[in-house]
């Protein structure tokens, strides 16, 4: 009866099943078969329920000492996630080759559920072996069962390929790729777009992610080069299982040499060329993604927490020293739901403390003191901010453990609008030869004077990369030393100096009046720093903006509002495209009550008149209106895109798209992301009278009292007519607009 449970169960589960069997046997002797059947059902439920508990696992390995005679010490670090209790399911065994004798440490819990909803946990285990052979070997294990999931995946299999031969470039055995995930990844159904996985390699190799069974997810794409999952459709609610294999390939040809001097060549990965692209190693990365019910808004910081600075960026590399405390600060914000925890996958002896700040901001401090056994280890740390309803994006970093703290020089970084400059003090970097330094892109040169080494890069050249930190865009580059490829030894110190600038994703330039929302700054790698202004003008010359002191602006119904959107960029050939404009009765652009003025580049409001302007300006007029139901204020939010002029495949070139079928693949490298800018509020004026002189002023947004009375009567008449029209026929777009008007 205990063997009925499919797959492997923990000793605890077997014990429970045996106990229930004995109870059942006793009951049969003294009571009815009905009671026995009930207890038997309970026993099977407990057994099978506990067996479905696997949530994934990851493995990394690195060489230790190489002893005389060729024996190599190998260290393996394994993390496994599952449901409580935290009983290990994986027992690595030698699958092929000479694996030596595996020695296991006791499993240590690294993280567990604090919400009380799923009761998951993660533990870490350290394994060692001394390998005497020169041939590759494999470790593996398989069993049952994955947690209940959408595609009913039950069996899991983990596989690792290890090669201890000496590399010609590092003069040591190969180190595996480094990756990990948090135990419990959760994403609302309408918010899943990308999942960036950690793909770090200690030897500097290229890492690729392979997924043999990803065809089970028809709405998921995998970029094997960047190890990124992307959605191209709606995923079913529930747990989705992903079983990856991480492989590393050298960036150039290297040799792997045995103790007896026999060597073989390893080539870079090349999918098209007819060459042998055998990976240097393989390690598993398996995890589940829980697709939750949709939420009202996917805007970070509202329903989903948004990670804020100084939270490390995904893929960051930090340095720690044995015996010294290393601190990581995490910070997140959520205005819609309270953050109760940060989920962390890290070393077992890393501690965490939480602190609630103001305005929905929660901070966590991760503290870790590396031990001697951690020396030279590249330790992955992944984290998310947690609410009961959702979680932030997952970020993962790597901590490299050294014997002592890394020495650093003195440098100043200057962040300009479209460039970054760095000045390194020569006095702090004695013995450094500038002639052997280069930027990430070696075609970009460094200069120097008597006291400093100088470098300047733009935001989209010289190998500068961009990362989204939540509230900032961070641009990074680095200065590296390089070697003569023909030299076997060197007497120059290795140098790697990273530098970066962070720019606020959205910042208001004009703060002298809180209600005036007309200036917006954005930063992107391809377009640098650029901004939009969204102004109200006094007339159709679009030369005199309304005085900010008049905000919130009072208007009369049927007045013409003259509005202008302008793009400001240092790049010479860019084009502005207004994709949509939506009116709402409050400053929430996602309000359930809204009115589309422009949608998909198409003008929907019949009173809109667009005035001729240059490529960076969009000027238009619209008759004023308000929402029915007692709302007296109107906000207008427009989504805008900046494109490179002349690009035939950009969103700007597509123009109005009334039919989804007209949409075609866009060249996103030639356009910015979609940005939203807001103007308002506009407040409907009541019982306002004006003198004749005022009514004659050119460009006035108000109309005379007589005209107002006439307009009011006209509107009442129109509303009556509209009511009759609605009663007798199907409502049209024009009547939609009249419905928005009040019988003022």
């Amino acid at each position: 009866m205990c063997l009925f449970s499919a797959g492997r169960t923990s000793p605890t589960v077997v014990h429970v099943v045996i106990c229930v069997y004995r109870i059942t046997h006793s009951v049969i002797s003294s009571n009815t078969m009905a009671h026995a059947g009930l207890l038997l059902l309970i026993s099977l439920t407990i057994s099978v329920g506990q067996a479905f508990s696997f949530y994934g696992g990851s493995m990394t390995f690195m060489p230790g000492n190489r002893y005389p005679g060729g024996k190599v010490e190998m260290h393996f670090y394994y993390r496994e996630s599952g449901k409580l209790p935290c009983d290990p399911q994986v027992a690595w065994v030698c699958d092929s080759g000479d694996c030596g004798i595996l020695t296991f440490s006791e499993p240590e819990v690294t993280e567990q559920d604090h919400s009380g909803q799923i009761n998951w946990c993660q533990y870490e285990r350290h394994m060692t072996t001394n390998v005497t052979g020169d041939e590759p070997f494999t470790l593996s294990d398989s069993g049952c069962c994955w947690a209940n999931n959408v595609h009913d995946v039950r069996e899991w299999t983990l596989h690792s390929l290890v090669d201890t031969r000496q590399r010609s470039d590092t003069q040591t055995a190969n180190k595996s790729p480094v990756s990990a995930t948090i135990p419990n990844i959760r994403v609302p159904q309408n918010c899943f777009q990308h999942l960036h996985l950690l793909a770090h390699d200690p030897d500097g190799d290229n890492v690729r992610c392979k997924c043999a069974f990803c065809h089970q997810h028809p709405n998921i794409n995998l970029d094997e080069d960047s190890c990124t999952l992307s959605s191209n459709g709606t995923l079913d609610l529930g747990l989705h299982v992903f079983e990856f294999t991480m492989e590393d390939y050298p960036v150039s040809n290297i040799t792997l040499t045995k103790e007896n001097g026999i060597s073989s060549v390893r080539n870079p990965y090349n999918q098209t060329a007819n060459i042998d692209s055998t990976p240097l190693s393989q390690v598993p990365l398996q995890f589940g993604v829980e697709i939750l019910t949709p939420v009202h808004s996917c805007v970070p910081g509202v329903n989903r927490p948004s990670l804020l600075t100084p939270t490390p960026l995904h893929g960051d590399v930090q340095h720690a020293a044995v015996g010294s405390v290393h601190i990581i600060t995490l910070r997140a914000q959520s205005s819609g739901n309270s953050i109760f925890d940060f989920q962390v996958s890290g070393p077992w002896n890393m501690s965490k403390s939480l602190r609630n700040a103001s305005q929905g901001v929660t901070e966590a401090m991760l503290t870790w003191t590396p031990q001697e056994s951690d020396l030279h280890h590249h330790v992955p740390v992944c984290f998310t901010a947690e609410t009961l309803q959702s979680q932030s994006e997952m970020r993962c970093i790597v901590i490299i453990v050294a014997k002592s703290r890394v020495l650093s020089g003195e440098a100043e970084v200057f962040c300009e609008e479209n460039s970054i400059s760095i000045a390194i003090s020569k006095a702090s970097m004695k013995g450094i030869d500038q002639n052997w330094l280069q930027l990430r892109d070696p075609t970009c040169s460094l200069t120097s004077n008597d006291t400093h080494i100088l470098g300047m890069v733009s935001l989209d050249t010289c190998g500068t990369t961009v990362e989204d930190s939540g509230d900032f865009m961070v641009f990074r580059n680095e200065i590296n030393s390089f070697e003569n490829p023909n030299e076997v030894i060197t007497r120059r110190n290795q140098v790697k100096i990273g530098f970066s600038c962070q720019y606020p994703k959205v910042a208001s330039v004009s703060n002298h009046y809180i209600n005036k929302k007309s200036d917006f700054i954005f930063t992107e790698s391809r377009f640098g720093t650029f901004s939009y202004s969204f102004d109200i003008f006094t007339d159709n010359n679009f030369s005199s903006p309304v005085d900010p002191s008049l905000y919130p602006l009072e208007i009369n119904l049927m007045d013409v509002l003259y509005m202008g959107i302008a793009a400001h960029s240092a790049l010479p050939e860019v084009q502005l495209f207004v994709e949509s404009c939506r009116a709402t009765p409050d400053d929430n652009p996602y309000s359930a009550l809204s009115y589309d003025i422009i949608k998909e580049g198409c003008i929907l409001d019949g009173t809109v008149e667009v005035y001729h302007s240059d490529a960076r300006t969009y000027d238009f007029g619209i008759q004023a209106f308000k929402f029915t139901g007692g709302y007296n204020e109107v906000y207008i939010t427009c989504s805008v895109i900046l494109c490179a002029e002349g690009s035939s495949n950009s969103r700007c070139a597509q123009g109005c798209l009334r039919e989804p079928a007209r949409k075609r693949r866009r060249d996103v490298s030639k356009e910015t992301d979609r940005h939203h800018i807001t103007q308002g509020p506009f407040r409907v004026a009541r019982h306002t009278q004006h003198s004749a002189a005022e009514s004659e002023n050119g460009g006035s947004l108000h109309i005379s009292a007589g005209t107002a009375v006439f307009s009011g009567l006209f509107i009442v008449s129109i509303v009556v007519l509209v009511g009759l029209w609605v009663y007798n026929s199907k409502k049209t777009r024009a009547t939609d607009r009249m419905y928005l008007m009040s019988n003022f």
Side-chain angles (χ1 to χ4, degrees):
M1 191 175 301
C2 294
L3 297 178
F4 182 85
S5 174
R8 175 178 307 168
T9 58
S10 69
T12 305
V13 175
V14 175
H15 178 70
V16 171
V17 175
I18 291 173
C19 288
V20 174
Y21 175 84
R22 288 172 179 170
I23 293 172
T24 304
H25 181 72
S26 174
V27 172
I28 292 174
S29 301
S30 56
N31 295 307
T32 65
M33 288 293 293
H35 292 147
L38 177 61
L39 289 176
L40 176 59
L41 180 61
I42 293 173
S43 72
L44 294 176
T45 301
I46 294 174
S47 175
V48 176
Q50 290 284 353
F52 284 86
S53 60
F54 187 67
Y55 260 60
S58 62
M59 165 84 87
T60 65
F61 64 78
M62 57 174 284
N65 297 320
R66 181 180 287 272
Y67 300 105
K71 184 177 291 187
V72 179
E73 182 183 66
M74 296 298 297
H75 296 265
F76 300 87
Y77 301 87
Y78 172 67
R79 294 180 190 172
E80 180 185 325
S81 301
K83 289 188 177 181
L84 291 171
C86 239
D87 295 325
Q89 294 194 47
V90 180
W92 290 95
V93 296
C94 186
D95 190 51
S96 67
D98 181 4
C99 308
I101 300 176
L102 288 171
T103 303
F104 296 82
S105 69
E106 287 297 319
E108 300 283 357
V109 175
T110 62
E111 180 68 296
Q112 64 183 43
D113 181 25
H114 297 287
S115 69
Q117 293 182 330
I118 301 179
N119 296 321
W120 50 260
C121 72
Q122 185 178 79
Y123 76 87
E124 182 179 56
R125 208 167 193 179
H126 179 204
M127 302 181 295
T128 59
T129 185
N130 290 330
V131 183
T132 56
D134 277 333
E135 297 297 331
F137 64 89
T138 58
L139 301 175
S140 66
D141 194 23
S142 61
C144 186
C145 294
W146 275 95
N148 291 322
N149 56 85
V150 171
H151 296 101
D152 198 28
V153 179
R154 293 176 177 265
E155 301 287 334
W156 49 261
T157 299
L158 301 172
H159 173 88
S160 292
L161 170 66
V162 187
D163 195 331
T164 61
R165 290 177 292 178
Q166 183 170 291
R167 296 175 55 134
S168 58
D169 54 348
T170 64
Q171 302 302 310
T172 186
N174 183 64
K175 304 179 184 70
S176 76
V178 173
S179 191
T181 66
I182 58 171
N184 182 226
I185 303 174
R186 301 178 296 137
V187 187
Q189 187 180 48
N190 57 325
C191 300
F192 185 87
Q193 293 181 334
H194 305 284
L195 178 60
H196 301 283
L197 301 172
L198 179 65
H200 170 82
D201 192 89
D203 297 317
D205 297 323
N206 288 329
V207 178
R208 295 182 63 82
C209 292
K210 299 293 184 68
C211 182
F213 301 103
C214 278
H215 62 273
Q216 295 178 348
H217 306 276
N219 293 328
I220 288 289
N221 291 327
L222 170 63
D223 185 334
E224 293 187 354
D225 292 324
S226 65
C227 294
T228 300
L229 287 173
S230 302
S231 170
N232 61 0
T234 302
L235 299 181
D236 293 335
L237 297 179
L239 183 70
H240 292 252
V241 168
F242 295 93
E243 298 173 306
F244 283 15
T245 297
M246 313 283 285
E247 300 179 342
D248 54 338
Y249 298 84
V251 295
S252 59
N253 290 349
I254 66 170
T255 58
L256 300 177
T257 305
K258 297 182 180 182
E259 188 68 21
N260 60 10
I262 299 176
S263 62
S264 60
V265 177
R266 282 290 183 269
N267 304 301
Y269 181 84
N270 194 321
Q271 194 170 11
T272 58
N274 186 22
I275 60 174
D276 179 23
S277 294
T278 303
L280 294 165
S281 67
Q282 294 176 325
V283 289
L285 176 64
Q286 301 191 1
F287 57 92
V289 177
E290 186 79 22
I291 300 300
L292 308 174
T293 55
V295 294
H296 174 66
S297 171
C298 296
V299 176
V302 183
N303 290 313
R304 299 188 66 195
S306 174
L307 296 175
L308 308 176
T309 53
T311 306
L313 297 174
H314 182 73
D316 273 1
V317 176
Q318 299 185 359
H319 296 269
V322 172
S324 298
V325 176
H326 186 77
I327 297 175
I328 303 171
T329 301
L330 310 179
R331 188 166 173 264
Q333 182 177 37
S334 177
S335 60
N337 301 298
S338 176
I339 298 173
F340 70 89
D341 194 16
F342 283 82
Q343 189 180 161
V344 178
S345 173
W348 67 270
N349 54 343
M350 175 176 278
S351 62
K352 174 177 62 179
S353 61
L354 299 179
R355 185 181 75 87
N356 290 324
S358 59
Q359 299 179 336
V361 175
T362 302
E363 296 177 352
M365 181 177 291
L366 308 182
T367 305
W368 181 49
T369 303
Q371 307 300 308
E372 192 70 32
S373 59
D374 298 311
L375 184 61
H376 306 309
H377 187 199
H378 291 231
V379 182
V381 178
C382 300
F383 48 83
T384 56
E386 299 286 314
T387 70
L388 291 177
Q389 294 75 22
S390 184
Q391 64 185 192
S392 69
E393 61 170 314
M394 181 181 70
R395 293 185 188 175
C396 298
I397 66 171
V398 173
I399 305 175
I400 302 176
V401 181
K403 189 70 174 178
S404 58
R405 290 193 177 277
V406 176
L407 297 177
S408 59
E410 296 177 3
E412 286 187 274
V413 178
F414 306 93
C415 302
E416 305 296 338
E417 182 177 352
N418 285 291
S419 65
I420 306 173
S421 300
I422 183 172
I424 306 168
S425 171
K426 289 184 176 180
S428 67
M429 303 289 285
K430 292 181 179 180
I432 300 302
D433 187 348
Q434 177 204 329
N435 296 320
W436 294 93
L437 297 179
Q438 64 185 18
L439 289 160
R440 183 175 285 158
D441 181 352
T443 62
C444 297
S445 60
L446 297 168
T447 60
S448 66
N449 55 28
D450 293 340
T451 59
H452 289 82
I453 299 171
L454 308 171
M456 186 180 76
V457 298
S458 70
L459 299 185
D460 59 353
T461 61
C462 298
T464 304
T465 60
V466 62
E467 295 165 321
D468 189 339
S469 72
D471 47 350
F472 287 87
M473 298 295 287
V474 181
F475 294 82
R476 297 180 180 275
N477 210 309
E478 60 187 25
I479 295 174
N480 295 302
S481 59
F482 63 96
E483 303 294 344
N484 186 333
N486 298 319
E487 292 180 348
V488 178
I489 66 170
T490 182
R491 291 186 172 89
R492 289 180 293 272
N493 291 320
Q494 278 195 322
V495 176
K496 187 171 184 178
I497 304 170
F499 59 96
S500 64
C501 284
Q502 60 182 29
Y503 298 83
K505 292 172 69 175
V506 181
S508 177
V509 175
S510 178
N511 293 321
H512 53 274
Y513 196 82
I514 191 169
N515 286 309
K516 183 179 185 296
K517 298 183 177 180
S518 61
D519 296 286
F520 304 82
I521 291 179
F522 301 91
T523 304
E524 293 187 20
S525 60
R526 300 177 300 275
F527 290 81
T529 299
F530 54 94
S531 62
Y532 299 105
S533 58
F534 192 1
D535 287 301
I536 307 299
F537 294 89
T538 57
D539 56 34
N540 59 8
N541 291 322
F542 298 96
S543 57
S544 301
V546 172
D547 189 336
S549 64
L550 297 178
Y551 283 79
L553 199 62
E554 288 199 347
I555 59 173
N556 288 320
L557 295 176
M558 303 295 289
D559 277 351
V560 176
L561 284 171
Y562 297 103
M563 312 180 77
I565 301 173
H568 310 282
S569 172
L571 297 177
E573 297 180 354
V574 292
Q575 176 184 357
L576 171 68
F577 181 70
V578 178
E579 189 175 45
S580 70
C581 285
R582 167 182 289 188
T584 55
D586 52 41
D587 62 357
N588 176 17
Y590 304 98
S591 174
L593 179 60
S594 64
Y595 173 73
D596 287 321
I597 300 170
I598 301 172
K599 185 176 183 180
E600 294 289 355
C602 306
I603 297 174
L604 302 184
D605 185 285
T607 70
V608 169
E609 181 178 0
V610 179
Y611 294 81
H612 177 73
S613 52
D614 59 36
R616 299 181 180 217
T617 306
Y618 189 88
D619 296 329
F620 66 100
I622 181 173
Q623 285 187 352
F625 60 90
K626 74 170 186 174
F627 287 89
T628 58
Y631 299 100
N632 289 322
E633 292 186 343
V634 175
Y635 292 78
I636 296 179
T637 299
C638 297
S639 66
V640 291
I641 297 173
L642 207 58
C643 306
E645 278 191 325
S647 174
S648 59
N649 292 324
S650 69
R651 182 64 185 91
C652 300
Q654 291 180 357
C656 170
L657 297 176
R658 293 191 182 276
E659 300 177 7
R662 287 191 56 200
K663 292 186 177 181
R664 61 182 184 271
R665 186 176 181 87
R666 289 155 50 184
D667 185 356
V668 295
S669 67
K670 300 296 184 181
E671 64 188 56
T672 67
D673 290 335
R674 182 183 293 107
H675 297 292
H676 294 84
I677 56 178
T678 301
Q679 180 58 271
F682 312 116
R683 185 171 295 162
V684 175
R686 291 183 177 274
H687 310 296
T688 303
Q689 295 183 351
H690 304 280
S691 66
E694 288 175 328
S695 67
E696 292 172 1
N697 287 337
S700 172
L701 288 173
H702 301 281
I703 53 180
S704 66
T707 305
V709 171
F710 174 78
S711 298
L713 294 173
F714 177 76
I715 293 171
V716 170
S717 301
I718 292 297
V719 170
V720 172
L721 290 174
V722 168
L724 293 173
W725 178 258
V726 171
Y727 179 79
N728 290 287
S729 65
K730 185 178 181 179
K731 193 161 37 174
T732 65
R733 183 72 192 180
T735 59
D736 276 343
R737 172 166 182 79
M738 290 298 108
Y739 179 73
L740 287 170
M741 299 181 183
S742 171
N743 56 353
F744 195 69

